Amino acid sequence: MPSRIRGAARANTDPPSPRSAALRRWSRGWDEMMAVYQPNRTAGVQAVLDTVDACLDHRHPKVLDLGGGTGSVGHEVLGRWPDASYSLLDLDPVLTSIAREHLPPHTDLIHADLHDPGWSQHLPHHRYDTVLAVMTVHYLPPERLTQLYAEIRDVLRPGGLLIVLDHMPEPGLATVNARMRHRAGDPPRPSMSWREWWDGVAADPFLGPIVAERAEIMRGQTSAEWNPPAHWHVDTLRASSYGEAGVAWRHGADAAVVAATPNA
């Protein structure tokens, strides 16, 4: 059942406990893997936050991070706006257990499934200034993503922003994108492969029991791995009654689409 959990970060300077040290080690390993599988992620996240920064009319935003995983985006959000009200939503209890370790105590962690139209009922706030979806929406099929965009509009305040950062290859730039990938060279090799990371987590005394819980929660879950071009997102958002929608950033096949709800 979806739930909301407060973060449990430590504010003191004592040496980390064995549990804390282990969770932070798994967090670093996850980030290393993401740097390989999503090489433009860091630059994209900074571009996303620059967009939010330019559009905010106050310094204490309410930010909802959909599919926030281990909290790496949340760490960047709270680095820019320490007084932000930050909510992370994800279905995976292993990743949110890691997030809980290094996010501040006032962080809201929500276990909910974006496949379920009732996901927004579990949010701690009625309206958000910004909703972020970083490398998340490709898990959803087109009909569900279309519905989700309309549901997100309803949790944004007037003038609020939805920013979607994901793999959005343009068919007309296949040769250009291939050349950019070639020029970038081979990505750095992570210290652990995907399988090694999950095998290690399963053997971890702190996270191992949660892996079994995860298996039950994720049973039957599949990823659509659907990556339409950016114009599909823009057209769908405009049809969902957002006031504006367009591409705010692109690097190769990755892009960030921004949509704003109409002002009241």
PDB file of all heavy atoms in Angstrom, residues 12-30:
ATOM      1  N   ASN A  12      24.342  15.359  12.822  1.00  0.00           N
ATOM      2  CA  ASN A  12      25.518  15.498  13.677  1.00  0.00           C
ATOM      3  C   ASN A  12      26.775  15.112  12.914  1.00  0.00           C
ATOM      4  O   ASN A  12      26.728  14.732  11.757  1.00  0.00           O
ATOM      5  CB  ASN A  12      25.346  14.660  14.949  1.00  0.00           C
ATOM      6  CG  ASN A  12      25.143  13.188  14.635  1.00  0.00           C
ATOM      7  OD1 ASN A  12      25.854  12.634  13.815  1.00  0.00           O
ATOM      8  ND2 ASN A  12      24.154  12.559  15.280  1.00  0.00           N
ATOM      9  N   THR A  13      27.902  15.240  13.624  1.00  0.00           N
ATOM     10  CA  THR A  13      29.196  14.963  12.982  1.00  0.00           C
ATOM     11  C   THR A  13      29.803  13.657  13.485  1.00  0.00           C
ATOM     12  O   THR A  13      31.000  13.421  13.291  1.00  0.00           O
ATOM     13  CB  THR A  13      30.171  16.125  13.248  1.00  0.00           C
ATOM     14  OG1 THR A  13      30.297  16.318  14.664  1.00  0.00           O
ATOM     15  CG2 THR A  13      29.653  17.407  12.611  1.00  0.00           C
ATOM     16  N   ASP A  14      29.017  12.827  14.146  1.00  0.00           N
ATOM     17  CA  ASP A  14      29.529  11.539  14.604  1.00  0.00           C
ATOM     18  C   ASP A  14      29.892  10.668  13.404  1.00  0.00           C
ATOM     19  O   ASP A  14      29.331  10.817  12.318  1.00  0.00           O
ATOM     20  CB  ASP A  14      28.473  10.817  15.458  1.00  0.00           C
ATOM     21  CG  ASP A  14      28.186  11.563  16.748  1.00  0.00           C
ATOM     22  OD1 ASP A  14      29.059  12.346  17.171  1.00  0.00           O
ATOM     23  OD2 ASP A  14      27.086  11.378  17.307  1.00  0.00           O
ATOM     24  N   PRO A  15      30.825   9.745  13.592  1.00  0.00           N
ATOM     25  CA  PRO A  15      31.141   8.818  12.491  1.00  0.00           C
ATOM     26  C   PRO A  15      29.886   8.067  12.065  1.00  0.00           C
ATOM     27  O   PRO A  15      29.038   7.738  12.900  1.00  0.00           O
ATOM     28  CB  PRO A  15      32.175   7.867  13.122  1.00  0.00           C
ATOM     29  CG  PRO A  15      32.752   8.632  14.272  1.00  0.00           C
ATOM     30  CD  PRO A  15      31.641   9.496  14.796  1.00  0.00           C
ATOM     31  N   PRO A  16      29.734   7.815  10.772  1.00  0.00           N
ATOM     32  CA  PRO A  16      28.531   7.119  10.320  1.00  0.00           C
ATOM     33  C   PRO A  16      28.448   5.708  10.901  1.00  0.00           C
ATOM     34  O   PRO A  16      29.458   5.037  11.098  1.00  0.00           O
ATOM     35  CB  PRO A  16      28.694   7.085   8.802  1.00  0.00           C
ATOM     36  CG  PRO A  16      30.152   7.240   8.557  1.00  0.00           C
ATOM     37  CD  PRO A  16      30.661   8.111   9.664  1.00  0.00           C
ATOM     38  N   SER A  17      27.240   5.284  11.171  1.00  0.00           N
ATOM     39  CA  SER A  17      27.022   3.929  11.651  1.00  0.00           C
ATOM     40  C   SER A  17      27.300   2.948  10.524  1.00  0.00           C
ATOM     41  O   SER A  17      27.354   3.333   9.347  1.00  0.00           O
ATOM     42  CB  SER A  17      25.577   3.775  12.121  1.00  0.00           C
ATOM     43  OG  SER A  17      24.702   3.884  10.999  1.00  0.00           O
ATOM     44  N   PRO A  18      27.482   1.657  10.833  1.00  0.00           N
ATOM     45  CA  PRO A  18      27.660   0.678   9.750  1.00  0.00           C
ATOM     46  C   PRO A  18      26.517   0.707   8.747  1.00  0.00           C
ATOM     47  O   PRO A  18      26.748   0.568   7.541  1.00  0.00           O
ATOM     48  CB  PRO A  18      27.728  -0.656  10.501  1.00  0.00           C
ATOM     49  CG  PRO A  18      28.257  -0.298  11.853  1.00  0.00           C
ATOM     50  CD  PRO A  18      27.666   1.054  12.170  1.00  0.00           C
ATOM     51  N   ARG A  19      25.291   0.877   9.223  1.00  0.00           N
ATOM     52  CA  ARG A  19      24.146   0.941   8.310  1.00  0.00           C
ATOM     53  C   ARG A  19      24.257   2.154   7.396  1.00  0.00           C
ATOM     54  O   ARG A  19      24.070   2.054   6.180  1.00  0.00           O
ATOM     55  CB  ARG A  19      22.843   0.999   9.104  1.00  0.00           C
ATOM     56  CG  ARG A  19      21.597   1.109   8.234  1.00  0.00           C
ATOM     57  CD  ARG A  19      20.336   1.215   9.094  1.00  0.00           C
ATOM     58  NE  ARG A  19      19.135   1.209   8.266  1.00  0.00           N
ATOM     59  CZ  ARG A  19      18.662   2.276   7.647  1.00  0.00           C
ATOM     60  NH1 ARG A  19      19.273   3.435   7.758  1.00  0.00           N
ATOM     61  NH2 ARG A  19      17.558   2.181   6.907  1.00  0.00           N
ATOM     62  N   SER A  20      24.568   3.321   7.990  1.00  0.00           N
ATOM     63  CA  SER A  20      24.692   4.536   7.204  1.00  0.00           C
ATOM     64  C   SER A  20      25.813   4.417   6.176  1.00  0.00           C
ATOM     65  O   SER A  20      25.646   4.790   5.010  1.00  0.00           O
ATOM     66  CB  SER A  20      24.965   5.732   8.127  1.00  0.00           C
ATOM     67  OG  SER A  20      25.174   6.904   7.386  1.00  0.00           O
ATOM     68  N   ALA A  21      26.957   3.872   6.592  1.00  0.00           N
ATOM     69  CA  ALA A  21      28.082   3.727   5.674  1.00  0.00           C
ATOM     70  C   ALA A  21      27.729   2.796   4.521  1.00  0.00           C
ATOM     71  O   ALA A  21      28.076   3.052   3.362  1.00  0.00           O
ATOM     72  CB  ALA A  21      29.305   3.206   6.433  1.00  0.00           C
ATOM     73  N   ALA A  22      26.996   1.716   4.821  1.00  0.00           N
ATOM     74  CA  ALA A  22      26.613   0.767   3.775  1.00  0.00           C
ATOM     75  C   ALA A  22      25.656   1.420   2.783  1.00  0.00           C
ATOM     76  O   ALA A  22      25.833   1.292   1.558  1.00  0.00           O
ATOM     77  CB  ALA A  22      25.971  -0.469   4.396  1.00  0.00           C
ATOM     78  N   LEU A  23      24.658   2.122   3.283  1.00  0.00           N
ATOM     79  CA  LEU A  23      23.681   2.736   2.386  1.00  0.00           C
ATOM     80  C   LEU A  23      24.329   3.810   1.518  1.00  0.00           C
ATOM     81  O   LEU A  23      23.991   3.962   0.340  1.00  0.00           O
ATOM     82  CB  LEU A  23      22.524   3.324   3.185  1.00  0.00           C
ATOM     83  CG  LEU A  23      21.644   2.300   3.917  1.00  0.00           C
ATOM     84  CD1 LEU A  23      20.468   2.990   4.597  1.00  0.00           C
ATOM     85  CD2 LEU A  23      21.141   1.223   2.974  1.00  0.00           C
ATOM     86  N   ARG A  24      25.256   4.535   2.066  1.00  0.00           N
ATOM     87  CA  ARG A  24      25.930   5.557   1.266  1.00  0.00           C
ATOM     88  C   ARG A  24      26.829   4.916   0.206  1.00  0.00           C
ATOM     89  O   ARG A  24      26.987   5.450  -0.889  1.00  0.00           O
ATOM     90  CB  ARG A  24      26.726   6.493   2.180  1.00  0.00           C
ATOM     91  CG  ARG A  24      25.816   7.310   3.085  1.00  0.00           C
ATOM     92  CD  ARG A  24      26.535   8.321   3.925  1.00  0.00           C
ATOM     93  NE  ARG A  24      25.598   8.983   4.830  1.00  0.00           N
ATOM     94  CZ  ARG A  24      25.884  10.072   5.518  1.00  0.00           C
ATOM     95  NH1 ARG A  24      27.086  10.630   5.415  1.00  0.00           N
ATOM     96  NH2 ARG A  24      24.985  10.607   6.312  1.00  0.00           N
ATOM     97  N   ARG A  25      27.408   3.772   0.532  1.00  0.00           N
ATOM     98  CA  ARG A  25      28.213   3.055  -0.457  1.00  0.00           C
ATOM     99  C   ARG A  25      27.333   2.585  -1.615  1.00  0.00           C
ATOM    100  O   ARG A  25      27.714   2.717  -2.787  1.00  0.00           O
ATOM    101  CB  ARG A  25      28.902   1.860   0.202  1.00  0.00           C
ATOM    102  CG  ARG A  25      29.802   1.078  -0.750  1.00  0.00           C
ATOM    103  CD  ARG A  25      30.594   0.022  -0.028  1.00  0.00           C
ATOM    104  NE  ARG A  25      29.752  -1.046   0.492  1.00  0.00           N
ATOM    105  CZ  ARG A  25      29.458  -1.227   1.780  1.00  0.00           C
ATOM    106  NH1 ARG A  25      29.933  -0.401   2.693  1.00  0.00           N
ATOM    107  NH2 ARG A  25      28.691  -2.239   2.162  1.00  0.00           N
ATOM    108  N   TRP A  26      26.146   2.051  -1.305  1.00  0.00           N
ATOM    109  CA  TRP A  26      25.240   1.634  -2.374  1.00  0.00           C
ATOM    110  C   TRP A  26      24.739   2.837  -3.162  1.00  0.00           C
ATOM    111  O   TRP A  26      24.530   2.726  -4.371  1.00  0.00           O
ATOM    112  CB  TRP A  26      24.072   0.845  -1.801  1.00  0.00           C
ATOM    113  CG  TRP A  26      24.485  -0.449  -1.175  1.00  0.00           C
ATOM    114  CD1 TRP A  26      24.294  -0.846   0.115  1.00  0.00           C
ATOM    115  CD2 TRP A  26      25.204  -1.514  -1.814  1.00  0.00           C
ATOM    116  NE1 TRP A  26      24.843  -2.087   0.324  1.00  0.00           N
ATOM    117  CE2 TRP A  26      25.401  -2.530  -0.840  1.00  0.00           C
ATOM    118  CE3 TRP A  26      25.698  -1.718  -3.105  1.00  0.00           C
ATOM    119  CZ2 TRP A  26      26.068  -3.714  -1.128  1.00  0.00           C
ATOM    120  CZ3 TRP A  26      26.361  -2.907  -3.392  1.00  0.00           C
ATOM    121  CH2 TRP A  26      26.546  -3.882  -2.419  1.00  0.00           C
ATOM    122  N   SER A  27      24.579   3.956  -2.508  1.00  0.00           N
ATOM    123  CA  SER A  27      24.159   5.170  -3.214  1.00  0.00           C
ATOM    124  C   SER A  27      25.215   5.609  -4.217  1.00  0.00           C
ATOM    125  O   SER A  27      24.908   5.948  -5.372  1.00  0.00           O
ATOM    126  CB  SER A  27      23.895   6.295  -2.203  1.00  0.00           C
ATOM    127  OG  SER A  27      23.538   7.493  -2.856  1.00  0.00           O
ATOM    128  N   ARG A  28      26.477   5.592  -3.802  1.00  0.00           N
ATOM    129  CA  ARG A  28      27.562   5.952  -4.727  1.00  0.00           C
ATOM    130  C   ARG A  28      27.619   4.979  -5.900  1.00  0.00           C
ATOM    131  O   ARG A  28      27.818   5.379  -7.053  1.00  0.00           O
ATOM    132  CB  ARG A  28      28.901   5.973  -3.987  1.00  0.00           C
ATOM    133  CG  ARG A  28      29.067   7.150  -3.033  1.00  0.00           C
ATOM    134  CD  ARG A  28      30.514   7.273  -2.588  1.00  0.00           C
ATOM    135  NE  ARG A  28      30.983   6.086  -1.878  1.00  0.00           N
ATOM    136  CZ  ARG A  28      30.868   5.899  -0.563  1.00  0.00           C
ATOM    137  NH1 ARG A  28      30.293   6.828   0.189  1.00  0.00           N
ATOM    138  NH2 ARG A  28      31.335   4.801   0.011  1.00  0.00           N
ATOM    139  N   GLY A  29      27.448   3.699  -5.617  1.00  0.00           N
ATOM    140  CA  GLY A  29      27.465   2.712  -6.695  1.00  0.00           C
ATOM    141  C   GLY A  29      26.335   2.933  -7.685  1.00  0.00           C
ATOM    142  O   GLY A  29      26.524   2.788  -8.904  1.00  0.00           O
ATOM    143  N   TRP A  30      25.162   3.283  -7.181  1.00  0.00           N
ATOM    144  CA  TRP A  30      24.026   3.568  -8.062  1.00  0.00           C
ATOM    145  C   TRP A  30      24.333   4.768  -8.957  1.00  0.00           C
ATOM    146  O   TRP A  30      24.082   4.742 -10.164  1.00  0.00           O
ATOM    147  CB  TRP A  30      22.789   3.828  -7.223  1.00  0.00           C
ATOM    148  CG  TRP A  30      21.559   4.092  -8.030  1.00  0.00           C
ATOM    149  CD1 TRP A  30      21.080   5.314  -8.419  1.00  0.00           C
ATOM    150  CD2 TRP A  30      20.663   3.116  -8.590  1.00  0.00           C
ATOM    151  NE1 TRP A  30      19.943   5.166  -9.166  1.00  0.00           N
ATOM    152  CE2 TRP A  30      19.664   3.830  -9.282  1.00  0.00           C
ATOM    153  CE3 TRP A  30      20.604   1.726  -8.544  1.00  0.00           C
ATOM    154  CZ2 TRP A  30      18.621   3.185  -9.944  1.00  0.00           C
ATOM    155  CZ3 TRP A  30      19.573   1.083  -9.199  1.00  0.00           C
ATOM    156  CH2 TRP A  30      18.592   1.807  -9.895  1.00  0.00           C
TER     157      TRP A  30
END
